[in-house]
Amino acid sequence: MIDILYIVIFIMGIGYLIQYRLNIKKAAEMSQDALFPKRQTDFQHILIPTEWKEMEPLSKNAKTYQYVKWGTFFALVLLFILLIMVLATDWLKSSFISSAYLFFILISAVKHKSCFYVLADGIILDGRYYSTQQIQSYKTEKIIRWHELYGYSTRVDNGYKLSVKVKGTLIFTTKYVVIENQEQVNKIQSLFDEQGIAKVA
């Protein structure tokens, strides 16, 4: 029973890795036609959550893209080796938690840095393309004292949290980035308005 459960988890993990790799590839190709950001100054004023660093352009030549490309390959090889070890020995029965933990570490290790692009017919967010039809709404919040993000970074303070509610595989999820100045927020809002994306208060 445990073997079957592990195989199911393994197949789901493989599917996730392959899908993630394809999403990044598609996003890198589509980002070349982005309406925003285009200039270097645009990239400098988009801050990525948790790290609060400036957004780096997404391209197939970027180090982070190459990391995902080759990291996916090596992660798949290691996962197959792990699967063979699990099925050929009693390791799984004696340490299911340890092997499952190692399994999820391998999957989560292949991660591209977050990114945000506005296209003519949708957006790229966290390395995945969402069409206009997949975007339910967006919201902007001034990051002032008592805001949940205030105090994380001096660059985040007094910036703007741009949240986008997108339709995932099963439910609507909310993702966000921080924009440093009002001028760029206005530009993004204008592009969203042209696509008919609703703004919520």
Side-chain angles (χ1 to χ4, degrees), residues 5-137:
L5 177 62
Y6 192 86
I7 291 173
V8 170
I9 295 174
F10 175 82
I11 293 173
M12 290 175 64
I14 295 299
Y16 168 81
L17 278 175
I18 294 174
Q19 187 60 52
Y20 186 78
R21 169 70 179 87
L22 293 175
N23 285 339
I24 292 292
K25 182 176 183 292
K26 181 178 180 180
E29 293 168 351
M30 298 185 74
S31 67
Q32 308 308 308
D33 298 320
L35 302 177
F36 179 89
K38 295 180 72 71
R39 301 173 301 174
Q40 183 60 35
T41 52
D42 293 333
F43 288 97
Q44 290 173 348
H45 294 294
I46 300 174
L47 304 179
I48 302 306
T50 67
E51 294 183 1
W52 309 119
K53 293 181 179 179
E54 297 173 3
M55 174 181 151
E56 296 179 9
L58 173 61
S59 73
K60 291 185 177 180
N61 296 322
K63 289 182 179 180
T64 50
Y65 181 88
Q66 293 298 319
Y67 173 78
V68 171
K69 178 181 177 180
W70 294 107
T72 301
F73 172 76
F74 288 116
L76 289 173
V77 171
L78 290 174
L79 287 174
F80 275 109
I81 293 173
L82 180 60
L83 179 65
I84 292 172
M85 288 177 59
V86 164
L87 297 180
T89 67
D90 292 330
W91 183 37
L92 182 61
K93 295 177 182 178
S94 61
S95 57
F96 177 77
I97 300 299
S98 298
S99 57
Y101 184 67
L102 180 58
F103 180 86
F104 287 113
I105 285 178
L106 287 173
I107 292 178
S108 60
V110 183
K111 189 74 174 175
H112 192 278
K113 289 185 177 180
S114 183
C115 58
F116 171 73
Y117 288 93
V118 182
L119 309 174
D121 58 351
I123 64 171
I124 294 172
L125 191 55
D126 289 344
R128 180 176 175 181
Y129 166 72
Y130 297 94
S131 68
T132 304
Q133 290 71 32
Q134 291 177 285
I135 305 170
Q136 186 182 41
S137 61

Side-chain angles (χ1 to χ4, degrees), residues 135-168:
I135 305 170
Q136 186 182 41
S137 61
Y138 77 97
K139 180 180 181 180
T140 58
E141 305 168 52
K142 178 79 171 177
I143 303 173
I144 56 177
R145 190 177 297 275
W146 311 124
H147 188 280
E148 60 183 358
L149 298 182
Y150 190 86
Y152 279 106
S153 167
T154 54
R155 295 187 66 179
V156 172
D157 297 346
N158 300 308
Y160 297 83
K161 178 183 178 183
L162 173 68
S163 306
V164 182
K165 199 169 187 180
V166 296
K167 186 177 182 180

